[in-house]
Amino acid sequence: MTTIEKAIAAYGVDMQLTVAVEEFSELIKEICKCKRGADNLESIKEEMADCYIMLKQLEIIFDIDTGDIRHIINNKIDRLEKRLEKGTSNETPQRTR
């Protein structure tokens, strides 16, 4: 059992889902501070690391294959590349579901 799996077992799924939301919101907070002029790159790195850990926990909690996520990421990057090639990079990207 990995350390991440042990954390899920020790604290429970519901708690780890709450922690995931908290960690993502902490990253958002640091990005907002940066936009207001804060010199907080190290804090952003720390929060990004926490978010990566929580994303890994979410993969385990929801039994999501990492390969599936990579495939979706590649599709989204391809779609972005096509938009950029068409010269629509100044438009607000549309959300996809």
Side-chain angles (χ1 to χ4, degrees):
M1 186 179 279
T2 68
T3 302
I4 290 175
E5 292 168 329
K6 288 177 186 176
I8 296 166
Y11 302 119
V13 168
D14 190 59
M15 177 57 73
Q16 292 313 94
L17 293 175
T18 299
V19 171
V21 171
E22 291 171 352
E23 295 298 348
F24 299 141
S25 69
E26 288 174 17
L27 177 58
I28 292 167
K29 179 184 76 170
E30 292 303 326
I31 292 169
C32 289
K33 286 180 183 179
C34 178
K35 288 180 67 173
R36 290 192 309 266
D39 181 19
N40 62 340
L41 182 58
E42 291 306 313
S43 294
I44 289 172
K45 290 179 189 178
E46 287 285 328
E47 297 308 333
M48 285 179 67
D50 289 340
C51 288
Y52 277 115
I53 291 167
M54 296 315 300
L55 286 169
K56 189 63 184 170
Q57 286 194 38
L58 292 175
E59 285 181 0
I60 293 167
I61 289 168
F62 294 112
D63 194 28
I64 296 171
D65 183 81
T66 303
D68 291 343
I69 298 298
R70 281 193 209 118
H71 178 74
I72 293 167
I73 290 169
N74 289 335
N75 286 342
K76 288 180 177 278
I77 291 171
D78 289 344
R79 200 165 40 243
L80 173 60
E81 183 176 14
K82 287 176 183 153
R83 276 198 308 267
L84 292 170
E85 287 171 356
K86 289 180 182 178
T88 58
S89 61
N90 291 332
E91 295 177 14
T92 302
Q94 297 298 312
R95 289 190 167 184
T96 58
R97 290 188 179 213

